[in-house]
């Protein structure tokens, strides 16, 4: 135990990424109140760890030991470390189960993610129904480390496993008149307590993308996480990851994909159109009426960091929206 | 024993009001503050603040209408504890969440209705907390009562603060519940309403007791 605090050796895993360091510095610059935070940090526990930038999974007594080699830490292209498997799979917005993010993983424990089929149809030449195993075999499964920015103002870095949606769409051959892709989640009140009446939401959950967004290489059909099958709480067995859009666009537990000519209705846009637009691209310049979109809290990090346009994917996706007023088309 | 009979409610109030803070500290060391501990602390302190403020609003009607005199013993303590949690709530927001970045906080206050509402509620509570001592009561005399009627504004604004930040009131009715309770508690202070309920209670009691008439606080018309 004493050797753990060997000050001469600094593991590369202990070197703080620059912008974390900078945000922490901004945090600490603030004189007297910083002392209070320092005191809280010194008190330790979960809050102390968070303020010190030491992450620990929820629901465990001890913080996880830091991985010994930097190679083991997965990072996004900015060098930010991925959140732990525990954090990613136990802090979820999955309203079919509950609105309580902490309770989802427990309620989802017995969810039946196998067998599972997905129908792909609508305006396509080859409508098909795929078994989830077909999809896993047919398309190479690759790891993509994406940032996920929730519309609520928090974010994570997540090493998804999956395949780009365009591979699947090419197989079914969209017709010329297809302009949008509509996604539908499972409707099963037996399994989803929050779908049982009386329910407030127009289930099933639906989402949509413009066809060019759906064909973009970043748009991922997700089947796994950290090299393992996708946890139930994250939308097993098949979900979407559209990293430049707010998290709710990345629909979970997909059973149906449909190509349409008209812009499809989506659940949140139907419920509160002035709050959740069809596009819902991450945009720090467009405040949400009830919370900040200019900054975000990276889970496991102290303070807040600035939110990046298109969640940091502007270089890849800004072209999709050339000439569009994103204040209007939010 | 007599002391306990006279003061049990005070003990319950102090323990009950401090317990949530103890649970937060305990959960901190048990790593039980969710993956988003700052958010969790903000949410918990805010809810406790609101509950305590509503309870302090309940003390007066409990006495005037139901003759539960002991409620008055804890009215000030509940209000002050509510203010304490509101202060922790604000501190967690400003220091833990926003790192006391005043520019960012200012921008957020302007941008978000719920932040404005929460801020107003807190500011109203400050002079009430400061003047809650006997000394200030004596100094302000009649004006003290008038000043402390501001709590009838602060608590509804705090409920509004809660209602404005909830994603959809239909699925999360808590703010509506708080709102309904506050409306009832405020309505019970309207003299006509108070008299009507007191009379009703008096009648019911009178009927039950028939011949053995016993005066109660209710018929003093407080």
């Amino acid at each position: 135990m004493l050797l753990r605090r060997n000050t001469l050796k600094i593991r590369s895993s202990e070197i703080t990424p620059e912008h974390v360091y900078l945000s922490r510095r901004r945090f600490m610059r603030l004189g007297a109140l910083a002392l209070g935070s320092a005191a809280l940090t010194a008190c330790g526990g979960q809050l102390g760890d968070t303020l010190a930038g030491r992450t620990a999974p929820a629901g465990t007594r001890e913080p996880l030991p830091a991985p010994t080699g930097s190679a083991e830490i997965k990072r996004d292209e900015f060098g930010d470390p991925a959140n732990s498997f525990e954090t990613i799979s136990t802090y979820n917005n999955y309203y079919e189960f509950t609105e309580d993010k902490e309770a989802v993983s427990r309620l989802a424990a017995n969810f039946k993610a196998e067998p599972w089929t997905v129908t792909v149809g609508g305006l396509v030449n080859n409508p098909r129904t795929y078994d989830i195993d077909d999809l896993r075999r047919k398309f190479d499964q690759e790891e993509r480390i994406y940032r996920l920015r929730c519309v609520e103002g928090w974010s994570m870095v997540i090493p998804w496993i999956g395949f780009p949606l365009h591979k699947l769409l090419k197989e079914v051959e969209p017709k010329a008149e297809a302009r949008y892709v509509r996604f539908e989640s499972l409707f099963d009140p037996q399994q989803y307590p929050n779908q049982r009446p009386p329910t407030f939401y127009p289930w099933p959950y639906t989402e949509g993308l413009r066809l060019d967004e759906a064909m973009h290489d970043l748009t991922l059909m997700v089947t796994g996480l950290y090299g393992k099958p996708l946890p139930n709480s994250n939308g097993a067995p098949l979900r979407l990851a559209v990293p430049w859009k707010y998290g709710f666009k990345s629909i979970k537990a997909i059973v149906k994909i449909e190509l349409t000519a008209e812009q499809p209705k989506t659940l949140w846009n139907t419920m509160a159109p002035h709050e959740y637009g069809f596009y819902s691209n991450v945009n720090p310049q467009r405040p949400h009426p009830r919370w900040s979109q200019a900054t975000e809290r990276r889970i496991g990090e102290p303070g807040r960091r600035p939110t990046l346009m298109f969640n940091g994917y502007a270089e890849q996706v800004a072209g999709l929206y050339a000439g569009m007023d994103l204040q209007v088309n939010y | 024993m007599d002391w306990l009979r006279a003061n049990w409610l005070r003990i319950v109030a102090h323990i009950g009001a401090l317990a949530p803070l103890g649970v937060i500290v305990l959960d901190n060391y048990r790593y039980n503050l969710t993956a988003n501990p700052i958010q969790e602390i903000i949410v918990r302190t805010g809810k406790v603040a609101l509950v305590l403020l509503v309870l302090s609003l309940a003390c007066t009607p409990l006495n005037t209408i139901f003759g539960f005199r002991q409620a008055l013993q804890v009215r000030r303590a509940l209000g002050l504890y509510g203010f304490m949690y509101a202060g922790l709530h604000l501190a967690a927001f400003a220091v833990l969440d926003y790192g006391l970045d005043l520019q960012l906080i200012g921008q957020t206050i302007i941008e978000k209705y719920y932040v404005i509402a929460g801020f107003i509620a807190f500011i109203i509570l400050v002079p009430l907390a400061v003047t809650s001592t006997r000394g200030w009561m004596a100094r302000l005399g009649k004006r003290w009562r008038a000043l402390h009627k501001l709590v009838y504004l602060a608590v509804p604004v705090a409920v509004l603060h809660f209602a404005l930040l909830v994603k959809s009131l239909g699925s999360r009715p808590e703010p509506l519940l708080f709102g309904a309770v506050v409306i009832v508690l405020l309505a019970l202070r309207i003299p006509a309403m108070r008299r009507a309920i007191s009379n009703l209670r008096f009648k019911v009691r009178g009927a039950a007791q028939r011949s053995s008439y016993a005066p109660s606080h209710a018929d003093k018309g407080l």
Side-chain angles (χ1 to χ4, degrees):
Chain A
M1 268 327 257
L2 279 173
L3 290 175
R4 239 187 83 216
R5 287 274 166 215
N6 189 337
T7 49
L8 294 175
K9 275 189 190 165
I10 298 172
R11 291 187 300 245
S12 59
S13 62
E14 288 177 346
I15 297 173
T16 309
E18 190 187 7
H19 57 270
V20 174
Y21 161 76
L22 287 175
S23 72
R24 202 175 301 157
R25 213 170 64 145
R26 191 177 67 177
F27 183 71
M28 284 309 191
R29 190 179 55 199
L30 303 147
L33 272 146
L35 271 179
S37 308
L40 280 172
T41 308
C43 286
Q46 196 183 352
L47 187 60
D49 282 356
T50 305
L51 294 176
R54 299 184 294 261
T55 51
T60 57
R61 281 171 180 277
E62 297 292 328
L64 281 184
T68 40
S70 62
E72 289 176 35
I73 305 180
K74 297 182 186 296
R75 295 178 184 278
D76 70 1
E77 71 275 23
F78 297 147
D80 288 315
N83 290 89
S84 71
F85 184 88
E86 274 70 23
T87 300
I88 296 167
S89 58
T90 57
Y91 193 73
N92 311 92
N93 274 320
Y94 200 159
Y95 278 25
E96 283 90 336
F97 286 110
T98 168
E99 283 106 347
D100 178 358
K101 287 191 265 291
E102 295 293 310
V104 168
S105 58
R106 183 173 46 79
L107 290 170
N110 296 319
F111 183 75
K112 256 184 81 185
E114 312 253 355
W116 192 275
T117 55
V118 194
T119 53
V120 190
L123 300 173
V124 296
N125 291 323
N126 302 318
R128 278 199 58 176
T129 297
Y130 292 90
D131 192 85
I132 185 68
D133 289 327
D134 294 345
L135 293 176
R136 289 202 188 104
R137 265 194 304 268
K138 195 164 204 126
F139 304 108
D140 290 339
Q141 306 291 307
E142 49 184 293
E143 178 168 83
R144 299 271 187 100
I145 302 174
Y146 283 165
R147 290 172 290 287
L148 181 136
R149 167 62 157 82
C150 180
V151 75
E152 295 168 350
W154 52 269
S155 62
M156 293 192 194
V157 175
I158 304 179
W160 298 120
I161 304 287
F163 59 93
L165 175 61
H166 62 72
K167 289 192 182 174
L168 176 63
L169 293 180
K170 263 168 211 150
E171 258 215 9
V172 295
E173 291 179 26
K175 291 182 177 166
E177 61 268 34
R179 292 203 45 226
Y180 293 92
V181 184
R182 179 182 176 276
F183 303 86
E184 193 178 303
S185 294
L186 180 67
F187 179 76
D188 186 357
Q190 296 273 323
Q191 296 211 71
Y192 287 140
N194 219 12
Q195 282 185 341
R196 287 172 212 153
T199 180
F200 181 70
Y201 302 95
W203 303 115
Y205 197 90
T206 48
E207 258 309 334
L209 295 172
R210 224 168 50 191
L211 186 55
D212 58 342
E213 296 175 325
M215 294 297 287
H216 195 283
D217 188 55
L218 282 176
T219 305
L220 195 70
M221 294 300 285
V222 173
T223 59
L225 169 68
Y226 266 109
K228 298 174 199 163
L230 194 62
N232 290 340
S233 52
N234 292 90
L238 185 69
R239 67 169 288 166
L240 193 65
V242 197
W244 71 93
K245 292 174 181 285
Y246 292 118
F248 67 88
K249 293 293 289 182
S250 294
I251 182 170
K252 299 180 175 81
I254 301 170
V255 292
K256 195 170 174 188
I257 300 173
E258 232 181 338
L259 283 94
T260 64
E262 303 293 324
Q263 183 176 300
K265 285 205 160 94
T266 68
L267 184 135
W268 281 111
N269 183 237
T270 307
M271 290 190 63
H274 57 292
E275 291 180 23
Y276 312 106
F278 175 77
Y279 289 95
S280 286
N281 293 316
V282 174
N283 184 349
Q285 268 109 53
R286 189 172 192 287
H288 181 280
R290 278 175 287 123
W291 49 75
S292 168
Q293 297 299 27
T295 60
E296 67 200 53
R297 189 183 308 124
R298 177 64 51 83
I299 300 297
E301 223 176 70
R304 301 182 79 88
R305 53 162 75 200
T307 288
L308 303 174
M309 189 65 205
F310 296 115
N311 202 21
Y313 300 95
E315 214 175 289
Q316 294 97 311
V317 302
L320 293 171
Y321 310 100
M324 279 174 67
D325 184 347
L326 296 178
Q327 292 294 321
V328 180
N329 297 292
Y330 55 93
Chain B
M1 223 37 220
D2 279 349
W3 180 86
L4 200 63
R5 197 167 300 142
N7 292 290
W8 66 271
L9 190 60
R10 285 182 207 271
I11 298 167
V12 169
H14 284 285
I15 292 176
L18 285 169
L21 185 60
V23 172
I24 290 175
V25 172
L26 204 66
D27 277 344
N28 177 44
Y29 290 102
R30 295 171 60 219
Y31 287 84
N32 208 12
L33 289 174
T34 82
N36 199 344
I38 295 174
Q39 179 82 11
E40 180 73 4
I41 287 171
I42 292 175
V43 169
R44 283 204 207 174
T45 49
K47 273 193 193 164
V48 176
L50 205 50
V51 168
L52 290 171
L53 289 172
V54 169
L55 284 177
S56 82
L57 272 187
C59 292
T60 303
L62 278 176
N63 172 51
T64 56
I65 294 175
F66 300 99
F68 184 51
R69 262 196 91 75
Q70 273 185 309
L72 294 182
Q73 293 177 336
V74 296
R75 186 173 59 182
R76 172 169 65 181
L78 290 175
L80 280 173
Y81 276 123
F83 177 73
M84 177 186 88
Y85 279 97
L88 289 171
H89 177 67
L90 178 65
F93 162 81
V95 181
L96 297 182
D97 195 359
Y98 281 81
L100 215 71
D101 186 328
L102 293 180
Q103 198 195 330
L104 205 59
I105 293 170
Q107 191 193 334
T108 309
I109 288 177
I110 297 164
E111 253 173 29
K112 317 281 179 265
Y113 295 130
Y114 78 89
V115 184
I116 301 174
F119 213 68
I120 291 174
F122 184 78
I123 297 224
I124 297 172
L125 289 175
V126 172
L128 306 194
V130 170
T131 60
S132 63
T133 59
R134 279 185 203 284
W136 273 103
M137 243 169 144
R139 225 168 300 169
L140 290 172
K142 270 188 175 170
R143 283 169 298 162
W144 188 90
R145 262 194 101 107
L147 177 67
H148 279 251
K149 282 193 172 147
L150 279 175
V151 77
Y152 303 153
L153 181 63
V155 178
V157 174
V159 173
L160 181 70
H161 161 69
F162 189 17
L164 284 172
L165 65 84
V166 165
K167 210 180 258 175
S168 52
L169 285 171
S171 65
R172 290 236 162 139
E174 279 167 294
L176 297 179
L177 286 174
F178 273 106
V181 172
V182 169
I183 286 171
V184 169
L185 291 177
L186 293 183
L188 290 178
R189 290 170 156 81
I190 299 168
M193 184 78 87
R194 197 171 61 198
R195 267 194 300 276
I197 295 182
S198 290
N199 289 342
L200 188 71
R201 180 169 159 267
F202 177 66
K203 266 186 218 147
V204 169
R205 222 172 133 167
Q209 296 186 339
R210 295 276 155 95
S211 53
S212 64
Y213 169 72
S216 77
H217 297 287
D219 48 62
K220 286 177 196 160
L222 280 169

